[in-house]
């Protein structure tokens, strides 16, 4: 009895979509070695972690109330005593994937994926593994020279900040680059994407699913 209890994974899922929570809970209730609690937002998750945590794994929706981008991931990690916290989302950009991993996230579970592998993904992350779906791994590996663009990793970083509407000065500060260097990268990005200005570069990159 004690052995069974020890082997059971305690999972907390935070998502503001009731249908997602109900679907995940219904599926996971049929998995003998996983027990699941659900909450609708990050503040509720933090309260649950402080009251009943740490959990063996926490999954937090990237876009739910209280997340404030990926700062919510850091907050969840802090309140879960350093135990694994992963992200639930639908279609993360390469930059989001990089940031999740850089912040120490346990991985990313896609809401668009089949449920059939979910239990194994949960076991893997709860056991200390870092999980990324194969499509995100492939996208991550190709960001440095995305098919047909030849963008460098640095240019790709500049492009993603362009997409956020940042001026060159702020991009330089974020990436520790001199403003003239940022201008040079923007010019190179436009040339490689076959466009004439930064606005067109962002549009072209989104059309090609680069960001």
């Amino acid at each position: 009895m004690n052995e069974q209890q020890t082997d059971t994974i305690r999972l907390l899922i935070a998502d503001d979509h009731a249908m997602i929570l109900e679907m995940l809970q219904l599926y996971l209730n049929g998995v003998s070695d996983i027990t699941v609690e659900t909450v609708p937002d990050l503040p509720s998750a933090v309260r649950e972690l402080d009251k009943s945590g740490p959990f063996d794994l926490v999954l937090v929706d990237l876009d739910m109330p209280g997340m404030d981008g990926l700062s919510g991931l850091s907050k969840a990690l802090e309140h879960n005593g350093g135990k694994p916290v992963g992200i639930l989302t639908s279609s993360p950009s390469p930059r989001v994937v990089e940031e999740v991993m850089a912040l120490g996230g346990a991985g990313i579970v896609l809401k668009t994926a089949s449920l059939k592998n979910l239990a194994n993904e949960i076991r893997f992350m709860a056991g200390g593994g870092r999980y990324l779906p194969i499509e995100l791994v492939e996208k991550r590996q190709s960001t440095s020279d995305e098919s047909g663009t030849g963008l460098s990793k640095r240019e790709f970083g500049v492009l993603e900040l362009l997409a956020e509407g940042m001026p060159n000065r702020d991009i330089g500060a974020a990436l520790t680059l001199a403003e003239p260097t940022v201008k040079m990268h923007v010019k190179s990005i436009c040339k490689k994407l076959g466009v004439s200005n930064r606005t067109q570069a962002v549009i072209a990159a989104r059309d090609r699913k680069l960001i």
Side-chain angles (χ1 to χ4, degrees):
M1 186 75 170
N2 288 339
E3 186 181 347
Q4 184 180 2
Q5 199 170 6
T6 303
D7 290 345
T8 299
I9 295 168
R10 293 181 66 235
L11 171 68
L12 177 66
I13 302 177
D15 196 302
D16 61 329
H17 291 96
M19 188 181 295
I20 294 282
L21 287 182
E22 288 172 14
M23 178 182 68
L24 293 175
Q25 191 156 31
L26 185 66
Y27 172 77
L28 291 170
N29 281 344
V31 180
S32 61
D33 63 334
I34 299 173
T35 62
V36 60
E37 300 288 334
T38 61
V39 290
D41 52 41
L42 188 67
S44 301
V46 168
R47 286 194 295 272
E48 187 65 27
L49 288 171
D50 291 344
K51 183 181 78 172
S52 308
F55 283 74
D56 296 310
L57 176 66
V58 179
L59 293 176
V60 292
D61 175 28
L62 181 60
D63 299 315
M64 69 180 171
M67 278 297 285
D68 188 24
L70 281 169
S71 66
L73 171 60
S74 298
K75 186 178 285 189
L77 279 164
E78 178 188 340
H79 285 267
N80 201 36
K83 283 201 167 187
V85 179
I87 290 289
L88 273 172
T89 189
S90 298
S91 183
S93 71
R95 183 169 180 234
V96 165
V97 175
E98 289 294 336
E99 288 186 0
V100 167
M101 304 314 278
L103 287 168
I108 295 176
V109 174
L110 295 178
K111 295 182 182 182
T112 51
S114 166
L115 286 172
K116 67 182 180 180
N117 295 320
L118 180 62
N120 283 334
E121 293 162 8
I122 288 168
R123 293 183 190 109
F124 181 70
M125 288 185 283
R130 307 189 77 195
Y131 172 74
L132 284 180
I134 186 63
E135 58 264 48
L136 295 187
V137 172
E138 290 171 350
K139 188 185 287 188
R140 192 181 185 209
Q141 289 172 343
S142 66
T143 54
S144 60
D145 58 347
E146 193 67 41
S147 178
T149 69
L151 291 179
S152 69
K153 191 167 185 178
R154 177 63 78 191
E155 287 168 346
F156 189 82
V158 170
L159 177 61
E160 290 193 310
L161 296 182
L162 283 178
E164 294 181 13
M166 281 193 184
N168 289 346
R169 183 179 64 250
D170 292 349
I171 293 174
L175 299 177
T176 59
L177 296 172
E179 193 170 344
T181 304
V182 175
K183 287 181 181 176
M184 180 190 72
H185 283 314
V186 172
K187 187 175 180 181
S188 175
I189 290 166
C190 290
K191 183 178 180 182
K192 289 178 180 179
L193 294 180
V195 297
S196 56
N197 60 53
R198 59 202 292 140
T199 301
Q200 291 176 1
V202 170
I203 293 169
R206 284 179 174 150
D207 285 346
R208 299 186 201 184
K209 309 290 187 193
L210 301 183
I211 54 176

